[in-house]
Amino acid sequence: MSQPLMRVRDGAIIGGVCGGIAKWLGWDPTLVRLGYVVLSVLSAAFPGILVYIVLWILMPREPV
């Protein structure tokens, strides 16, 4: 976790948020995305969507 938390450019599905979190943690991006979907569904989806949008705005994009 020595690198800063950033949205990924390569392998981004929507905004690169889950991919960036996975890269930062050293985890598989698919597992982070599945975990995000499960948590969003269990929380009636709205908080999960709101958190994703906030992170999309706040997380800087990975440099080219």
Side-chain angles (χ1 to χ4, degrees):
M1 286 193 272
S2 61
Q3 61 188 3
L5 181 59
M6 294 187 178
R7 292 184 293 132
V8 294
R9 289 185 180 272
D10 296 329
I13 301 294
I14 297 176
V17 173
C18 289
I21 292 171
K23 186 174 181 182
W24 185 65
L25 293 172
W27 295 358
D28 181 25
T30 304
L31 294 176
V32 174
R33 290 179 183 120
L34 285 173
Y36 170 76
V37 169
V38 168
L39 286 174
S40 291
V41 168
L42 293 176
S43 67
F46 179 72
I49 294 170
L50 186 62
V51 167
Y52 191 92
I53 292 170
V54 168
L55 287 174
W56 195 348
I57 293 168
L58 295 178
M59 285 174 64
R61 190 142 203 182
E62 180 175 67
V64 180

